Amino acid sequence: MSLHLASRADMPDSAPDVPEIRSIGIIGAGQMGNGIAHVSALAGLPVAMVDISKDALDKAMQTIARNMERQIGRKLITSEQRDEALERITTSTDYASFAGTDFVIEAATEKEAIKHEVFKALCPHLKPEAIIASNTSSISITRLGAGTDRPERFIGMHFMNPVPVMKLVEVIRGIATDEPTYRAVEALARRLGKMTATAQDFPAFIVNRILVPMINEAVYALYEGVGDIRSIDTAMKLGANHPMGPLELADFIGLDTCLSVMQVLYDGLSDSKYRPCPLLVKYVEAGWHGRKTGKGFYDYSQDPPAPTR
């Protein structure tokens, strides 16, 4: 299946050519990386997924297969579509596997220094016209792009978790991002079955600028004794019709990620209302990052999970 993102007949004479994205590279085999690989392969795109750990890559492939099996059970895809999609995904620990790739998205840890190191190592392996995206949920796209050899072909493409389920992708242009790159990524998102919201390059963009401070305020409510974990989550589920309470949601996102977003907001906007709650800091320092570590505001070694306080 070929991808035709745009043609001269579809655009005004003055419109720039929009590059075709025929293959995708993904850096990081974690929750976000394997989710992006999942939807990309189902959309008919060859996917190269790279991680520093072969064990992480093997685990990611098992996760993708398991999640596709669930989709088969819900009659969203067929077993043939699953088999074809899995065959489109290759894994490696070497960036050289991206040599012929049209588009590479980074889904590494939400730490700016780590992302800069990733892009520094990545760029020498890419063809000159390749587009780079970051799945960052909060860090400046302008700043990340400036650290590469192609800021005009660098963009933010923030998928929501879990990627195979959530429909939204935030598209964030850095100050140097050119129009063809933006259009190509918009069209790619549509091919993946997503809807886009374009965000300006301000700290945390749209979703996390609103969502994570709400979570931080819920942690303050716990910290100050306004309510316990169950009461806070029940109040927001039944009183605001949220599908998850904010503390349960924090565990799902990852408390380390929530803290990183709050730190980006606090540092970037210099406003005390974005100060991370000390209790959130303490949980992260303890290694209680939520579901992925087995403990956060809830203890996931129990069934059902029980509050930790």
Side-chain angles (χ1 to χ4, degrees):
M1 181 163 58
S2 63
L3 175 63
H4 300 287
L5 297 186
S7 68
R8 281 294 185 186
D10 298 327
M11 298 186 297
D13 290 341
S14 59
D17 289 326
V18 177
E20 294 185 56
I21 296 176
R22 299 186 182 93
S23 57
I24 288 185
I26 299 166
I27 299 172
Q31 196 169 37
M32 298 305 296
N34 71 58
I36 298 167
H38 177 140
V39 298
S40 299
L42 278 178
L45 292 160
V47 176
M49 182 165 54
V50 168
D51 196 283
I52 58 173
S53 165
K54 186 179 183 304
D55 287 344
L57 290 164
D58 292 342
K59 183 178 178 182
M61 292 303 298
Q62 293 167 9
T63 299
I64 293 168
R66 186 169 60 249
N67 288 340
M68 286 185 181
E69 195 64 35
R70 291 195 185 103
Q71 289 180 306
I72 292 170
R74 296 171 60 195
K75 302 189 184 304
L76 298 174
I77 63 171
T78 66
S79 56
E80 290 78 10
Q81 287 174 313
R82 173 202 58 198
D83 295 343
E84 290 170 0
L86 290 173
E87 287 178 3
R88 292 186 189 106
I89 304 173
T90 60
T91 63
S92 175
T93 57
D94 189 347
Y95 288 149
S97 62
F98 295 143
T101 304
D102 297 323
F103 174 88
V104 176
I105 183 166
E106 166 272 318
T109 303
E110 190 70 357
K111 298 289 184 184
E112 186 167 349
I114 291 174
K115 292 182 187 294
H116 280 297
E117 288 301 314
V118 166
F119 296 133
K120 182 179 178 181
L122 168 68
C123 286
H125 296 282
L126 299 181
K127 58 187 182 181
E129 65 271 25
I131 294 171
I132 303 176
S134 176
N135 184 57
T136 179
S137 59
S138 60
I139 299 168
S140 168
I141 297 303
T142 297
R143 210 160 53 236
L144 291 176
T148 72
D149 62 355
R150 62 197 72 204
E152 71 285 355
R153 289 187 296 281
F154 190 96
I155 197 165
M157 194 178 190
H158 178 213
F159 288 81
M160 304 296 121
N161 184 37
V163 178
V165 176
M166 301 295 281
K167 288 293 185 183
L168 181 69
V169 172
E170 281 185 305
V171 178
I172 309 100
R173 298 175 71 155
I175 195 169
T177 307
D178 65 21
E179 187 68 16
T181 296
Y182 173 74
R183 291 192 185 189
V185 168
E186 280 266 300
L188 173 62
R190 290 194 298 273
R191 179 168 182 180
L192 300 183
K194 305 301 183 185
M195 297 183 67
T196 62
T198 301
Q200 298 303 311
D201 191 17
F202 285 92
F205 318 131
I206 297 172
V207 173
N208 283 337
R209 172 75 175 266
I210 298 167
L211 178 65
V212 179
M214 181 200 74
I215 290 172
N216 192 57
E217 192 62 27
V219 182
Y220 265 115
L222 177 65
Y223 178 62
E224 295 168 3
V226 177
D228 60 22
I229 291 171
R230 287 268 192 229
S231 296
I232 291 167
D233 278 348
T234 299
M236 293 305 294
K237 284 191 284 188
L238 301 184
N241 204 29
H242 289 190
M244 276 188 188
L247 302 177
E248 183 184 6
L249 179 58
D251 277 358
F252 182 77
I253 294 170
L255 304 193
D256 54 334
T257 300
C258 292
L259 178 58
S260 292
V261 172
M262 290 307 302
Q263 288 169 330
V264 166
L265 283 166
Y266 189 49
D267 294 343
L269 299 174
S270 301
D271 191 325
S272 61
K273 72 180 181 181
Y274 297 116
R275 183 172 71 95
C277 178
L279 184 61
L280 178 61
V281 175
K282 192 177 296 263
Y283 272 46
V284 172
E285 288 176 344
W288 295 6
H289 295 177
R291 290 191 186 189
K292 60 188 174 185
T293 61
K295 183 178 284 189
F297 292 109
Y298 291 85
D299 182 349
Y300 295 91
S301 66
Q302 303 181 49
D303 188 18
T308 52
R309 283 169 59 105

